[in-house]
Amino acid sequence: MINSLFLINPSGEIFLEKHWKSVVSRSVCDYFLEAKEKALEPEDVPPVIHTPHHYLISIYRDKLFFLSVIQTEVPPLFVIEFLHRVAEMIQDYFGECSETVVKDHMVMVYELLEEMLDNGFPLATESNVLKEMIRPPTILRSVVNTLTGTSNVGDTLLTGQLSTIPWRRAGVRYTNNEAYFDVVEEIDAILDQSGRSSTDLSTGTTVQRSWKSDPEVKGQASGVCVCVCVVCKLCYDWLTGTTVFAEIQGVVEACVKLSGMPDLTLSFMNPRLLDDVSFHPCVRYKLWESERVLSFIPPDGNFTLMTYHVNAQNLVAIPVYVKQSISFFECGSDGRLDVTVGPKQTMGKTVEGVMVTVHLPKTILSINLTATQGSYTYDNGTKLLVWDIGKLNPQKLPNLRGSLSLQAGAPKPEENPSLNIDLKIQQLAISGLKVNRLDMFGEKYKPFKGVKYITKAGKFQVRT
Amino acid sequence: MTPMQKLLQLPVNAMNMVKTAQDQMGQQDEAKSPVMTPDGGNHNWYNGEPNDPRHIRFGSGGGDQEERAHLEEGGGSLSSLVTQPLRHDDLKEMLDSNKDSLKLEAMKRIVAMIARGKNASDLFPAVVKNVACKNIEVKKLVYVYLVRYAEEQQDLALLSISTFQRGLKDPNQLIRASALRVLSSIRVTIIVPIMMLAIKEAASDMSPYVRKTAAHAIPKLYSLDPEQKDCLIEVIEKLLADKTTLVAGSVVMAFEEVCPERIDLIHKNYRKLCNLLIDVEEWGQVVIINMLTRYARTQFLNPNMNESLLEEGGGEKAFYGSDNDDDTDDEEDKEEKEKKKTEATAIVKRKPYVMDPDHRLLLRNTKPLLQSRNAAVVMAVAQLYFHLAPKAEVGVIAKALVRLMRSHSEVQYVVLQNVATMSIKRRGMFEPYLKSFYIRSTDPTQIKVLKLEVLTNLANETNISTILREFQTYIKSNDKDFVAATIQAIGRCATNIGEVRDTCLNGLVQLLSNRDELVVAESVVVIKKLLQMQPEQHSDIIKHMAKLTDNIQVPMARASILWLIGEYCEHVPKIAPDVLRKMAKTFTNEEDIVKLQIINLAAKLYLTNSKQTKLLTQYVLNLAKYDQNYDIRDRARFIRQLIVPTDKSGALSKYAKKLFLALKPAPVLESPFKDRDHFQLGSLSHLLNAKAGGYQVLPDWPEAAPDPSVRNVEVITLLERVTTLTSVPEWTKCSSREKRKEKKADKPFYSDSEGESGPTESADSASDTASGSESGSGSEESGSGSESEESNEESESASEEDEEEEGKKKKKNVEKIKARKPVPESESEPSSGEDVKKSEKKSKPRIGSSESESEEDDDSESESSESEEEESEEESEEETKKKKKTTASKPPSKPPKKENKKEKKEMSLLDFDDFDPAPSPSQVTPLNNFLSSSLVTDLEGLSLTDNVLSPTTIIPSGNLKTYELLHRITGEGLSVEYCFSRQPFSPDPHMVAVKIQFTNSATSEAKSLHVEDAKLQSGMRIKEFPEIEVLPAGETISVVMGIDFCDSTQAANFQLCTHTRKFFVSIQPPVGELMMPIFMTENEFKKEQGQLMGMNEITEKLTLEEKCQGEHAVVQRVTTAANLSRVPCGSDKECRFAGKTVTSGSLVLVSVVTKEDGAAQLTVNCEKMVIGTMLVKDIHQALTQ
């Protein structure tokens, strides 16, 4: 299946290669590098590239390209998913996934890759199993290793014991038995300005009528007129925006450090909220289907227990509103920006970590803004304006305003940039999901249990 | 020489640096041997002659530089080989040393070199020597090295073979596996026979892990030597029959690579694969699902057969029609659909399609995998459903696919490609998720374009306005490629949906006044296409566009406008000549493409309106004649000859009008994803829209289904079941359990009827009629009468055999009752309430009657039902439907029994532990009817099953439940049952007394029965019963043993030994048996309860079942569920119970407060929260059922 893997840094240097079948020359990457040159952003590189003899499937993650070489038919998602698994594994082992980390632990990464695939087919991809074969580095161990000259390859390997559960290693022992669950919800939303309907294509008939009445002259004029008006209207529209699309995506992250073979059952107060779910393989599907409880023997350590999507029928509470106006004057190379953020439906919690990110048009020359709260940074190279507000104070709404100057002679930007909002609410799952209880069977000790809720903004965009 | 030796200890980098420096100094003492002999002696040779005069050969400047360049680059090319020995001397020395640490360090550096892509092949001899190294870490790295370079140095690689061969015989499974893995990875042709042998041997290895490795090795060997195919197929066939989940994925992978055409190998394993699927690891799931998709396409009939027959007709129509296939004009579409519907129903009537149960099995077993976290698995299931499921069921995959859209952008990319293809065929499926395809400004362009594609495919009359509004936003994007794509999408919407054509057109016309040229140009191009469809109605737009020629500078757009005007000059007779006039003026400055269109326009006008334009045309043609571009000159010459009648060109000019003003068909705007679904979705080929190497064509449905009986494996299944119970780890069995569960869920009818029907709940599979006889026994007051009638009707199918069995049963009953009677009497009811005793007596007769089914349980339940369940499952759905019609409430004979089984499995699942191979006897089989029913409740408490699924009534009884420890058949004639006698275990008060009853039903006597080799959870203890020396045939004997369960419901596992055999058995206590009654006064109780508040108190509200509303009933049910004693209480509204856990002596206090209308509140106070919660569930169950 997967023939070879190359790790490539953003500048195009291949710094690790691994072959599972016959060696494929690294010159095959040239096709990829060519495509990479063409793409404006690294994300724009096509994930699947067809070359005369090979297929290249790549992912871009943590500023690294993972490029796999395929020779025969294989489900592309299979490869993509595996590559992501590799990245996760590196992250899991070394804390982060970056070029330096991989270079520092070259041998270990290589060994991991050796274990993960056999002849191009995944062999061991569960972190728990891998960790039994190749022990992750710790500071203490690396010190010991340098002193004693041993390495991290597991020496327990030869016990001949294989865990019967592929995701859990055998013989786990902890002095403190703990199980923590983080329910993290993200709001994906697209907010829009209301009062935009006059430009709708769907209502174009009105325009057409006025047009037909006076076909020769006014038709054209009215068409233009409408557009101009709309721009004006938008400029001064202080409405808080309508929701085009909003949904809640959640994930239950678990950190389970329990001895032995615990069998956990996690139930929710209101499982009906969950519309669509996906599970870690340890969860018993059918039990969820019939009883809406998560019954599982957990892997050891950190893992994602489930991800879910909240029923779309439920209206999504949008915790903040954004009043904004970005306008450019038709004549003169000047524009104004005015953004206010305020709390909307926060369920009595404070909104923290509010951040507004704006990709300003390329024609902007400079900006001069003042923020009543927080601070803003502006990178003139990428035209990226980031306004870090922090905690939202309902009494005194944070505001950012000032002037934008355009390059001389540049035309007024076509589209106003959209705002990306970042926020965080502690101790709240915005969907109202609540964990009811966690029961443990199969072990005698009493575990310490904890649940934490966090709401975040996912892809939260305000169109202007 | 001496400095060199010092350097040997330096790391490679340092070496390089020094080396470079030396080079610069001109001290070229590198080895100059052009061909390295890869043995250790070589290095001595060159060290001995450091100043070899041959270095002069490299003295010339060019060579020197080249050399250094290679050094810096770190090798990798052949020529650098020459320089490497020097750099690797240190490594060789380290490898030759005796210290493992040095070896390890050297190997690490070598592997790092390999990882960086540097050539380390010259170290092969030095490395291969270490293959037999004792140090496991070194060994692993040597393996890594070997796998990488063995192919290049085949001869030397042979040196390592014997080590692997030795490894293949190692007692440790991991060593065997890794030896096989490396052996099969080194790609040396000469060892093919050795590999073949090793694979064959490993395929029958005891360890599933080694078998898995063998499966992995098969494709490796095949790629090395395809001639081994036949032998390999044999191995594959063997491994396909393997029953472990570990092997399944890998062997199917091997199957796909070696012999995907041998679909016949799958037949026998088909059902097994379907059933195992859910427990196979993710990657194996993908491969298996893809393979099964192909398999199903060859073996089953098209579930959409009736529709698709029509579809073909419809499809053809669309193909010849002007529009895209599914996006045909809506009215047409509707009509067509209606027609289809009526025809379809007609066909259905004619030839009812019945889905093959195996087909259904596949669909059902893959469905839960849509919930996988692995995108590839979800996609695989989605494509399976798309290709195999009846139209009505395909919809389930939409939600899962939409979920994947939140994943990484690469995943999105692939998923969207597939969704685009699906949305053409099955638009309705994704319509509810329209908004999920809305585009964000932060999406990468390729994703945006794909989303646009999907949105366009999804557009229909109802949602078009929303979609267009959304498109309107996109048009303002800064990403111009995306804007262009949006405009094209609008064009496609307009062609597909007639109603919005005008709207779109007008919208596009508005865009003509956009400031951005690209937008305008793209709009013009799209408008041109739209206008071509109905030009008459849009002369005003053409006029409007004519005016744009003044402003628009984009050549393509100008050309489009000119073409439009030329084409429809009749519609704009006034403007057209004027446009030509203007164009003539600017002709020289136009782009070539525009010039060509000006000539074109001139020609057309000349033909239609020669009066006004004759001179203009002449002028334009003259200008063109002297143009720099030869194309334009040619065109001008050609057109002049055509349109201007001269003597020479008489023949052609007659046809000029026909040539220029022919009716041109409107262009078809269609999705690039149309018809891509002939590739299997989710495949690379589908993504690329081209056949990738090794792609297996998805076959078409067969006309007639091949013989389905090839998949029948009854006998094997039965055996397999038995073995599964012992050999497969517990958790893998959840699939079968879940399957059963699902089946349950399919029959809501049964569970409803359970609600009404009291005593029959654990009747066995053959007891449809027995329920009648039971009611005849008269002990049950309610419900049974009506049931018996129905049951008579119902049981036609089973009744014949049953009657015989019944006869047998009755005989057995008599014996049974005799055997059993002493048990309830000998037992002391701890709570000593009069009422309890009374009710106990009352219930006694019924013990007998209910036992009428019990014996049958033993035999049939464990085996026959298991073997039957596979078949019955498929039928069950159809059956239930039929049954629903005939009987309003069928006595729920079968399902409850299944339920029991299910519960049992669940229980064993809970106490799963990883080293215990939990043999089948551990699955406690209820021995008699009423006992099992309360067992169900107990277990239910443990396993948290849904109430709906559980039986609703329990026969009130304070009796002991008996569980099976060893089945008669498994025990080869020896059957063992156990019960919790609820008596204090005298040798050790911290133990639970378990009464074990041996019955020897074999013909020979059993000797020396004893317990051995207890594998207990830490803390657990067993007090064995004294060895039974002889148990004569047909005799029964009871002993008591003590088990300290440590207050957990963990099973105690041990071996039960006879003189000939050992049986693995396990005893699992219900939570209620982990305690013993204590006596308390009311005040004490209150005091203790007060101390166990908060965390230790669990309260639950419940509604008492009707029959259970009296105080007696409550007391009795609670004491049945748990070994507690009653605490006196002043109020008759409240019942209190007290006890303590056997091991730790923690107090367990239970109180039930009844209110009006059967409402009640159950409070359990217990220091041990786990016990508390479990107990609440058990009691709750006992009271509400």
Side-chain angles (χ1 to χ4, degrees), chain A residues 73 114 188 201 291 415 442, chain B residues 181 406 476 503 944 1050:
Chain A
E73 168 67 45
E114 177 82 32
D188 283 359
L201 290 163
E291 292 156 43
E415 183 199 31
Chain B
R181 214 182 132 192
R406 242 190 85 79
K476 293 191 285 176
T503 322
L944 316 167
Q1050 282 278 30

Side-chain angles (χ1 to χ4, degrees), chain B residues 816-827 959-960 995:
Chain B
K816 265 271 148 155
I817 295 167
K818 272 184 204 161
R820 193 59 56 89
K821 257 185 179 161
V823 180
E825 278 168 6
S826 69
E827 152 201 312
N959 266 299
L960 298 181
K995 185 167 185 170

Side-chain angles (χ1 to χ4, degrees), chain B residues 4 19 22 27-32 46 50-51 55 86:
Chain B
M4 280 307 303
K19 180 68 192 71
Q22 279 180 346
Q27 299 231 335
Q28 299 190 353
D29 50 1
E30 316 96 305
K32 295 303 183 285
Y46 108 79
N51 294 317
H55 77 268
L86 180 79

Side-chain angles (χ1 to χ4, degrees), chain B residues 29-46:
Chain B
D29 50 1
E30 316 96 305
K32 295 303 183 285
S33 122
V35 180
M36 289 301 306
T37 43
D39 59 353
N42 163 48
H43 120 211
N44 291 336
W45 160 76
Y46 108 79

